[in-house]
Amino acid sequence: MIREDFRSAMQSNKGCAVIMAGSDSDKGHIDEIIKSLQNYNIPYDVRICSAHKQPDRLMSMIREYNEVGGLVAYVAVAGGTDALSGTLSYHAFGPVISSPPNGINGSCLSNPPGSSNAYIERAVNVGRFIAQIYSGINPEIRDLLEKENAEKISSLEQADAKFQKYGEIK
């Protein structure tokens, strides 16, 4: 069952994310993804469901999210054979990002035709990718990205100026 506050976030069409994990053993990785989403104020929901052990429940969850509609990106957190990202990317209406906790595994990169997903290994980069997806329709997210970019550019320019002045980075 989808929480009412998250259902409202989905229906707002400003962009949100569902983190779908194959088990709770990947909590550390999930927490990093959550933090990256919070950096851009992206509402999220976390669900634990194994594609192998609970296929009917997984399909039910996907149907429920699909019925609500709205702008939803999915993040699949599963290691091993990662049937989770393949199932999500074929049946869910939103984009799917595979972010396995144990790094790259061949299955999430070679899902069958009709099953498309992005791959982001570093959990800290997931939120930015999703923010970029929604920045065209959500001015708040766009402003956060612009501010972040400006800060990074300023930092680089300052480092360059120091190097030019002293001949080395101090």
Side-chain angles (χ1 to χ4, degrees):
M1 168 110 60
I2 300 173
R3 296 183 339 264
E4 273 310 307
D5 63 326
F6 190 72
R7 180 181 299 273
S8 294
M10 290 175 66
Q11 293 170 332
S12 75
N13 279 324
K14 292 182 179 179
C16 56
V18 174
I19 302 167
M20 187 72 72
S23 78
D24 62 346
S25 65
D26 303 319
K27 185 179 179 327
H29 193 74
I30 294 165
D31 288 344
E32 286 184 57
I33 293 169
I34 289 169
K35 193 177 201 180
S36 76
L37 293 167
Q38 290 172 336
N39 287 338
Y40 302 98
N41 300 323
I42 297 171
Y44 61 89
D45 199 12
V46 178
R47 303 300 298 266
I48 307 294
C49 186
S50 170
H52 292 113
K53 298 172 187 83
Q54 301 168 290
D56 293 338
R57 184 167 188 260
L58 175 60
M59 287 304 301
S60 176
M61 284 182 184
I62 293 170
R63 279 191 295 275
E64 188 176 7
Y65 286 110
N66 284 345
E67 287 171 10
V68 173
L71 298 175
V72 181
Y74 296 86
V75 183
V77 178
T81 61
D82 189 16
L84 186 56
S85 72
T87 303
L88 274 169
S89 64
Y90 189 79
H91 294 284
F93 293 146
V96 175
I97 300 156
S98 295
S99 185
N102 55 350
I104 195 163
N105 62 51
S107 65
C108 73
L109 297 178
S110 59
N111 283 332
S115 178
S116 57
N117 54 290
Y119 171 78
I120 301 176
E121 184 170 339
R122 295 185 69 206
V124 297
N125 292 335
V126 172
R128 181 174 173 84
F129 183 79
I130 293 173
Q132 289 171 314
I133 291 172
Y134 297 139
S135 67
I137 54 96
N138 186 324
E140 179 187 340
I141 290 174
R142 183 181 185 91
D143 289 346
L144 289 169
L145 285 168
E146 286 176 348
K147 180 181 176 192
E148 181 180 65
N149 288 351
E151 288 171 357
K152 286 181 182 179
I153 290 169
S154 176
S155 174
L156 291 169
E157 289 170 349
Q158 289 173 21
D160 179 59
K162 284 181 184 177
F163 189 84
Q164 295 304 308
K165 184 174 180 178
Y166 300 111
E168 60 184 72
I169 298 176
K170 292 186 181 196

